[in-house]
Amino acid sequence: MAKQERHKNLFLNYRNLNNFPVELLRDEGMQFLERLFMKRNSLTTLPENLAQKLPNLIELYLHSNNIAMIPQAIGNLVKLQSLDLSDNALQIICPEIGQLRSLRHLRLANNQLKFLPQELGNLRELETLDVSMNLLRTLPERLHQCQSLQCLTADRNLLHCLPRQLCLLPELNELSMAANCLTSLPLDLGRSMELQFVFVDNNAHLKGLPSFLYNKVIGCSGCGLAAQISDVKQICLMLGDVTVPLPSEVKVIGSETDRVLPLEELTCRVLHAAHNWTSKDVKLRTPFLLPKSLLDVVQWPLGHCHRCSQPMFTIVYPKLFPLRETALAGVHKRTTVSFVAYCCSSHCLRTFDLQG
């Protein structure tokens, strides 16, 4: 029907397709088709003559299939602007992807990629690149040649460092490298006025940030809690053949790879919550049995988690800069240690003065 009526958009999502529909490839194909949606099927491969039969394809969405490799002929889709291959089984991306000179959005998240081809640098029109949840240890050095790149997301990989050349990207506005193995960031990162959002959550070995990032929106280390925790389902622990139900207070069990929060941080959060609770209830207003110096610490968190707004006390990034360069100029007449933290509820940069 789509072929007879010369539809430009074709939706084949959730059809349990194991193979690419032959109807799309018969005779002259579908020369007029511009957008093809085939999300959440069971495709394992793409046809070699895809570009020949669908030459005017602008957008191709193959999210959530079982595609293990893409053919070299993918490079012949010269009009393609958006390609989504997220949630597949890709282990390698062929260099021919660099021939997609019109490509603006490329999504490869949640695959099994261990490296990316240097030919990605040929995509001069590329604006969005998402390679989250793969097995990447490095990013292509030629990525800085993507002069139109605005958003680069590489969360939850195995990255130890970033190519310094990324600092040369003139249009880069958002850089997200959360949950990697980063130990440092390029000192020039943030020099560009275009770069406004930098997220480096949950990089346990990252001890500081480049000074150019002090006036950007910075993602802090996160509170360590899962984004969604069920209050209904009871968690059980398997001990051999015995199933032991855990108390209802236990909402989630971490694995060996999870980063455990410091006891100091957890203690501060509990005391902070208790202090706020007693302060709001007139009947329970009793003096907190803590030294004033400690009470000041738990009463005023250094920041809040950018995901769930949990207060944070010990795991934000410290930075030294004069208060005269911040919005607090004139409030205090001395240079202090200040902290930056990202709060997603207001999308703002907050600067906190560490007293004492």
Side-chain angles (χ1 to χ4, degrees):
M1 184 183 300
K3 202 167 188 178
Q4 292 175 356
E5 298 179 3
R6 301 177 68 85
H7 288 186
K8 291 186 177 182
N9 304 321
L10 182 57
F11 297 87
L12 295 175
N13 300 327
Y14 299 94
R15 299 299 180 93
N16 199 28
L17 297 173
N18 295 313
N19 299 298
F20 204 88
V22 295
E23 292 83 357
L24 299 180
L25 307 174
R26 285 178 181 163
D27 303 324
E28 75 281 358
M30 296 182 68
Q31 305 285 322
F32 41 83
L33 191 65
E34 294 182 354
R35 296 172 182 84
L36 178 57
F37 298 80
M38 299 187 68
K39 297 181 180 181
R40 298 193 178 277
N41 285 287
S42 300
L43 301 177
T44 56
T45 59
L46 296 177
E48 291 283 349
N49 59 347
L50 181 62
Q52 178 184 353
K53 300 299 182 180
L54 307 176
N56 292 308
L57 209 57
I58 295 176
E59 299 178 9
L60 178 57
Y61 299 96
L62 298 165
H63 186 287
S64 299
N65 280 275
N66 295 315
I67 300 173
M69 63 176 298
I70 54 177
Q72 296 178 353
I74 192 76
N76 296 327
L77 289 169
V78 293
K79 295 185 178 181
L80 195 65
Q81 296 182 15
S82 184
L83 176 60
D84 189 349
L85 285 162
S86 302
D87 290 300
N88 277 279
L90 294 172
Q91 296 185 19
I92 189 171
I93 298 294
C94 60
E96 284 73 15
I97 200 168
Q99 299 175 14
L100 301 176
R101 301 302 175 89
S102 300
L103 197 64
R104 296 173 57 189
H105 307 285
L106 177 59
R107 295 176 173 86
L108 301 170
N110 200 16
N111 280 281
Q112 302 171 28
L113 300 172
K114 294 184 178 181
F115 64 92
L116 299 172
Q118 293 289 342
E119 285 75 10
L120 283 180
N122 297 333
L123 304 178
R124 301 301 175 89
E125 302 299 321
L126 191 65
E127 298 176 2
T128 303
L129 176 60
D130 186 354
V131 292
S132 301
M133 292 181 285
N134 279 283
L135 303 172
L136 301 173
R137 294 183 179 274
T138 59
L139 295 176
E141 291 186 359
R142 287 178 53 191
L143 201 58
H144 73 280
Q145 297 177 359
C146 299
Q147 295 293 298
S148 301
L149 191 61
Q150 299 176 15
C151 180
L152 173 58
T153 306
D155 299 341
R156 300 182 67 178
N157 278 279
L158 303 172
L159 299 173
H160 286 267
C161 61
L162 301 181
R164 188 179 180 185
Q165 293 89 332
L166 288 181
C167 303
L168 302 176
L169 288 169
E171 301 295 329
L172 189 63
N173 177 259
E174 180 174 324
L175 176 65
S176 187
M177 300 286 167
N180 277 278
C181 304
L182 296 176
T183 58
S184 63
L185 295 173
L187 294 179
D188 292 338
L189 188 64
R191 182 187 291 269
S192 169
M193 296 297 293
E194 290 297 325
L195 184 61
Q196 292 296 319
F197 304 91
V198 178
F199 305 105
V200 286
D201 314 30
N202 298 317
N203 282 278
H205 302 292
L206 186 61
K207 302 304 182 183
L209 298 176
S211 59
F212 288 109
L213 294 180
Y214 81 87
N215 59 345
K216 313 291 183 179
V217 177
I218 310 295
C220 53
S221 295
C223 66
L225 297 179
Q228 295 181 348
I229 298 176
S230 173
D231 292 327
V232 179
K233 184 179 178 181
Q234 186 177 28
I235 295 179
C236 296
L237 187 63
M238 300 296 295
L239 299 175
D241 297 331
V242 180
T243 301
V244 181
L246 297 177
S248 59
E249 289 80 8
V250 178
K251 300 295 192 298
V252 64
I253 298 179
S255 66
E256 294 180 357
T257 59
D258 291 331
R259 185 172 64 85
V260 179
L261 289 174
L263 183 59
E264 180 185 12
E265 175 69 25
L266 293 174
T267 303
C268 288
R269 292 181 189 179
V270 172
L271 290 174
H272 174 76
H275 177 267
N276 286 347
W277 180 57
T278 56
S279 298
K280 293 177 182 178
D281 196 326
V282 178
K283 297 180 180 178
L284 297 175
R285 280 187 182 172
T286 57
F288 232 49
L289 300 179
L290 290 174
K292 184 179 184 302
S293 58
L294 183 56
L295 185 59
D296 289 342
V297 171
V298 300
Q299 189 174 358
W300 309 107
L302 295 174
H304 291 81
C305 175
H306 68 279
R307 291 188 304 165
C308 67
S309 297
Q310 277 264 7
M312 300 170 63
F313 298 87
T314 65
I315 51 176
V316 294
Y317 293 111
K319 245 176 31 65
L320 282 167
F321 57 87
L323 280 176
R324 64 176 180 273
E325 298 178 4
T326 74
L328 295 177
V331 177
H332 299 283
K333 295 182 178 179
R334 55 188 176 83
T335 301
T336 67
V337 180
S338 298
F339 290 81
V340 291
Y342 172 61
C343 175
C344 68
S345 59
S346 57
H347 280 265
C348 64
L349 178 70
R350 298 184 176 180
T351 306
F352 300 88
D353 180 22
L354 180 60
Q355 304 290 342

